[in-house]
Amino acid sequence: MKLLSRHIDFKHGNGRMTFIPEEGEDLWHVYNLITAGDVVRCTTLRKVVTESSTGSTNAQRVKTNLTIEVENISYDVEAMSLALKGRNVEENQFVKMGAYHTLSLELQRKFTLTKENWDAIALERVEEACDSGKF
C-alpha cells in the first residue's frame, strides 16, 4: 500500500493519512484499520436527480468527493473491494449533510482516513502494510 501523506498530532493521537491500496492484501489491512466512527474521504459516483421547470426529472451519475463517518464496513474478497456505509459529514453540491452513502474502496483508488485516536496497533498495521521507507 502506498502512503501519500500523514498528518498526526502525536500529543493527542488524532489525525489523518492518505493511502492508495495497490494489491488485495492492502484491502485486508484497510478492513482491519477502519472502525465505526472513523471518517473516510474518497471519490465516488452519486446518482443525482434534477427537476426541470416543467416538472420532468432527469437522473445522472456524478463523480464527486464524499466524506462519510463510517457506520458499517464489509469486505468482498472476490471483487477486491471494501464497502463503507455511513453518513455524509461534509456537505457538497450533490449530497446533503447526514445523507447516507456507501463508498467503495478499490485497488488504485486514493482515500483519506481520519481517526480520533491513532493507537499503537493502528500505526503498526500502517507500517506493516506500507513500504517502510515511506512511513
Side-chain angles (χ1 to χ4, degrees):
M1 182 155 51
K2 192 179 288 183
L3 176 63
L4 300 178
S5 68
R6 177 180 66 170
H7 304 280
I8 296 179
D9 178 356
F10 287 104
K11 183 176 180 181
H12 298 101
N14 61 345
R16 69 184 184 280
M17 293 190 195
T18 302
F19 304 96
I20 296 178
E22 297 178 308
E23 52 190 52
E25 187 177 329
D26 295 341
L27 291 175
W28 175 250
H29 286 295
V30 173
Y31 174 73
N32 288 296
L33 188 63
I34 296 175
T35 58
D38 290 345
V39 175
V40 175
R41 178 177 180 82
C42 76
T43 302
T44 187
L45 290 175
R46 178 78 175 191
K47 181 178 171 184
V48 177
V49 179
T50 55
E51 187 174 335
S52 69
S53 58
T54 62
S56 63
T57 59
N58 182 23
Q60 60 183 357
R61 292 200 167 273
V62 178
K63 190 175 184 179
T64 186
N65 284 315
L66 281 186
T67 305
I68 66 164
E69 182 175 337
V70 177
E71 293 181 5
N72 189 3
I73 181 170
S74 61
Y75 180 43
D76 186 343
V77 177
E78 291 186 20
M80 285 191 164
S81 71
L82 290 173
L84 308 175
K85 181 182 178 187
R87 288 182 181 261
N88 187 33
V89 294
E90 279 185 16
E91 190 166 351
N92 69 24
Q93 75 181 87
F94 303 113
V95 184
K96 294 180 182 175
M97 285 280 289
Y100 275 98
H101 190 79
T102 301
L103 295 176
S104 292
L105 297 185
E106 299 170 345
L107 297 179
Q108 305 303 323
R109 182 176 289 176
K110 180 173 84 168
F111 72 95
T112 301
L113 172 61
T114 303
K115 287 180 157 298
E116 284 297 315
N117 183 22
W118 284 91
D119 59 16
I121 296 169
L123 293 173
E124 284 176 25
R125 182 165 297 280
V126 170
E127 189 172 6
E128 181 182 331
C130 296
D131 179 17
S132 60
K134 297 198 177 196
F135 185 80

